[in-house]
């Protein structure tokens, strides 16, 4: 069943979702590509191994991507390379606080599942951990003993692999271990990144409130990039159509007490798991 779903693109991988800001460095970034060059520039961005998500959205900043790397210096170098290769200025919007993250769907009721967020600090990784994460980040192979195969790729025994993964789950380094789906192929064809420019003193309170609302699949605070991008609170809303998503956006605006800026995605250029090592 998993092979069949993978072959038709419904699942991205089976494996670990790593907690944000626990290892390495990552950011959401955007650039404004000339309309006539969007495909060429998107291809250059997607070709970077640090980029794991790359979407076109309805805004003057029309190309949005997520980049991860082993450390902040490597991430900064990747963003600088993207600027040089594309000729477009890049804004970087690193995560400051997550209120609800790790997109998940309950496919029976068509509502997403909320995920708990352990309050765990950033920590260094040792060489063995980095080797295992490097082998794990692309997902498990669909074989009868996937953890033994993972161990072969990481230079570890099956028991050690299972023990380390269990420890990472307990400490919150891995938030979830399971099937990572492609929402578009499962019928969730409308998604909007909904952003707000909120007073810093209010953003945590409102962020927690919006994160609990039905229809919100992700919610987090990010660093502003002034003067180009003043927004600090982000909600992702996924639905089967724009007609389904639009009332959710309007409801969030009422709760926040100010109009939202909604950026609907129009094309997906790249979607895969994050690669830190």
């Amino acid at each position: 069943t998993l092979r069949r779903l993978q072959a038709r693109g419904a699942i991205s991988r089976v494996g670990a979702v790593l907690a944000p800001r626990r290892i390495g460095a990552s950011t959401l970034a955007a650039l404004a590509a000339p309309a006539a060059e969007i495909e060429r520039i998107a291809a250059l961005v997607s070709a970077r191994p640090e980029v794991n998500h790359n979407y076109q959205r309805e805004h003057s900043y029309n190309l949005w991507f997520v980049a991860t790397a082993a450390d902040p210096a490597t991430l900064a170098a990747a963003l600088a390379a993207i600027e040089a290769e594309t000729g477009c200025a890049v804004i970087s919007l690193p995560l400051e606080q997550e209120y609800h993250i790790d997109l998940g769907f309950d496919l029976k009721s068509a509502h997403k599942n909320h995920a708990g967020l352990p309050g765990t600090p950033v920590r260094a990784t040792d060489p063995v951990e980095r080797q295992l994460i490097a082998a794990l980040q692309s997902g498990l192979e669909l074989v009868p003993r996937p953890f033994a195969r993972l161990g072969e790729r990481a230079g570890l025994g099956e028991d050690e692999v299972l023990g380390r993964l269990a420890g990472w789950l307990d400490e919150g380094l891995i938030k979830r271990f399971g099937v990572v789906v492609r929402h578009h192929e499962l019928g969730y064809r409308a998604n909007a990144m909904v952003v707000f420019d909120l007073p810093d003193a209010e953003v945590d309170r409102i962020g927690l409130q919006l994160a609990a609302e039905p229809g919100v699949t992700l919610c987090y605070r990010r660093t502003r990039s002034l003067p180009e991008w003043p927004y600090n609170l982000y909600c992702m809303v996924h639905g089967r159509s724009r007609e389904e998503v639009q009332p959710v956006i309007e409801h969030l605006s009422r709760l926040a007490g100010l109009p939202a800026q909604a950026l609907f995605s129009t094309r997906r250029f790249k979607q895969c798991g994050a690669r830190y090592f």
Side-chain angles (χ1 to χ4, degrees):
T1 299
L2 290 172
R3 285 197 188 99
R4 186 171 65 251
L5 289 168
Q6 197 170 60
R8 74 177 179 90
I11 65 174
S12 173
R13 60 192 164 90
V14 180
V17 176
L18 295 170
R21 300 183 301 155
R22 291 302 318 279
I23 58 170
S26 65
T27 192
L28 174 67
L31 57 79
E37 296 187 74
I38 183 73
E39 292 185 1
R40 181 186 67 83
I41 290 173
L44 291 171
V45 172
S46 295
R48 299 291 311 186
E50 299 87 357
V51 171
N52 54 77
H53 284 60
N54 188 16
Y55 281 77
Q56 182 178 354
R57 295 192 177 278
E58 295 174 344
H59 192 270
S60 57
Y61 280 103
N62 52 3
L63 199 63
W64 289 81
F65 54 98
V66 177
T68 58
D71 53 66
T74 305
L75 180 62
L79 297 181
I82 289 172
E83 285 194 333
E85 291 167 2
T86 64
C88 299
V90 172
I91 58 170
S92 178
L93 309 162
L95 181 70
E96 290 185 348
Q97 179 63 50
E98 60 271 13
Y99 308 112
H100 171 54
I101 205 163
D102 180 19
L103 175 62
F105 294 100
D106 179 341
L107 299 177
K108 292 182 179 179
S109 66
H111 292 298
K112 54 94 176 64
N113 297 316
H114 284 287
L117 295 168
T120 46
V122 177
R123 73 164 177 80
T125 52
D126 63 38
V128 175
E129 289 178 317
R130 290 194 290 274
Q131 187 72 14
L132 181 54
I133 291 170
L136 177 64
Q137 57 197 6
S138 60
L140 297 179
E141 293 184 41
L142 301 182
V143 296
R145 296 185 68 173
F147 298 102
R149 181 67 60 82
L150 180 63
E152 292 172 10
R153 288 156 50 193
L156 300 171
E158 183 180 31
D159 289 343
E160 185 174 0
V161 167
L162 289 167
R164 284 182 178 269
L165 295 180
W168 289 351
L169 281 163
D170 287 342
E171 70 165 286
L173 183 66
I174 293 176
K175 296 188 303 157
R176 180 170 65 83
F177 207 108
V179 178
V180 180
V181 304
R182 295 182 185 275
H183 58 270
H184 189 272
E185 283 77 2
L186 291 172
Y188 292 83
R189 298 181 179 275
N191 81 81
M193 184 178 73
V194 183
V195 295
F196 299 89
D197 177 11
L198 291 168
D200 290 338
E202 294 292 311
V203 65
D204 287 337
R205 178 183 64 81
I206 295 174
L208 288 168
Q209 182 182 8
L210 299 190
E213 288 297 311
V216 174
T217 46
L218 301 169
C219 186
Y220 36 72
R221 185 179 81 231
R222 290 188 177 276
T223 303
R224 295 178 171 95
S225 182
L226 298 173
E228 303 91 351
W229 189 258
Y231 305 103
N232 58 348
L233 181 64
Y234 295 65
C235 297
M236 287 300 303
V237 181
H238 288 74
R240 299 186 184 278
S241 66
R242 286 192 181 224
E243 292 74 21
E244 181 180 311
V245 168
Q246 195 61 48
V248 178
I249 296 171
E250 294 168 1
H251 178 61
L252 296 178
S253 294
R254 289 193 293 271
L255 291 177
L258 76 168
Q261 173 83 262
L263 287 73
F264 278 89
S265 80
T266 56
R267 273 194 288 184
R268 179 185 63 198
F269 292 107
K270 187 177 185 180
Q271 180 190 354
C272 66
R275 286 168 169 77
Y276 290 93
F277 305 114

